[in-house]
Amino acid sequence: MPAWQPVVWHELPPTLASFWTERHLCVLSTLGPRGAPHAVPVGAILDPDEECAWIITRRGSQKVVNLLRDPRLSVTQVDGARWSSLTGTGDVRHDAASIARACDRYASRYRLPSPNPERVAIRITVDRILGSAQVLAGA
């Protein structure tokens, strides 16, 4: 299975960068309180300028609770035979600048998110990117 590690943000293969701009839902996997995977659909966005990925969510969500206890995560998107997974850690951000950045990036891939006073941003430090040969062509 092809892997992109270490992640060099300014050298992302064009096929990988393009795949992460297409409108696909992703699955975020975190670790639940007993260590079992907790997988939920999310919108995830790469941010090469900030060398991270972002997810927006509600502050009391189970994914936030899980990440505050154990920051390890995986985000996967699939489109037929093409797929890619990010592995790394998530940092729950409550500050206005991080939330604005995540919402701006989210809007560039999906749609403008509706206002939510409970919103937080999850800033993902990506340690490794896995993917199908079609997505990691040239990696």
Side-chain angles (χ1 to χ4, degrees):
M1 143 183 26
W4 182 252
Q5 182 182 13
V7 177
V8 182
W9 288 96
H10 64 280
E11 295 179 5
L12 291 178
T15 52
L16 174 68
S18 176
F19 186 58
W20 280 94
T21 62
E22 296 172 12
R23 192 179 192 286
H24 300 292
L25 281 179
C26 302
V27 175
L28 169 67
S29 297
T30 59
L31 296 173
R34 295 186 180 114
H38 174 76
V40 293
V42 296
I45 314 93
L46 293 187
D47 189 347
D49 294 336
E50 295 289 323
E51 298 188 348
C52 68
W54 295 98
I55 293 172
I56 57 175
T57 190
R58 183 180 51 82
R59 81 181 62 186
S61 68
Q62 187 63 51
K63 58 184 132 330
V64 167
V65 171
N66 290 347
L67 290 170
L68 290 173
R69 183 184 55 260
D70 185 332
R72 293 176 294 170
L73 59 72
S74 175
V75 179
T76 301
Q77 71 176 8
V78 178
D79 179 44
R82 298 181 312 146
W83 64 273
S84 179
S85 292
L86 314 174
T87 59
T89 55
D91 178 27
V92 179
R93 301 279 181 99
H94 296 73
D95 63 286
S98 293
I99 294 169
R101 177 71 183 187
C103 286
D104 179 60
R105 298 296 302 145
Y106 181 92
S108 74
R109 184 173 188 194
Y110 300 102
R111 62 174 170 71
L112 186 64
S114 55
N116 182 348
E118 296 293 310
R119 178 166 290 130
V120 295
I122 300 171
R123 186 183 195 283
I124 300 170
T125 299
V126 180
D127 299 326
R128 183 168 70 156
I129 301 176
L130 303 170
S132 62
Q134 303 94 318
V135 172
L136 284 177

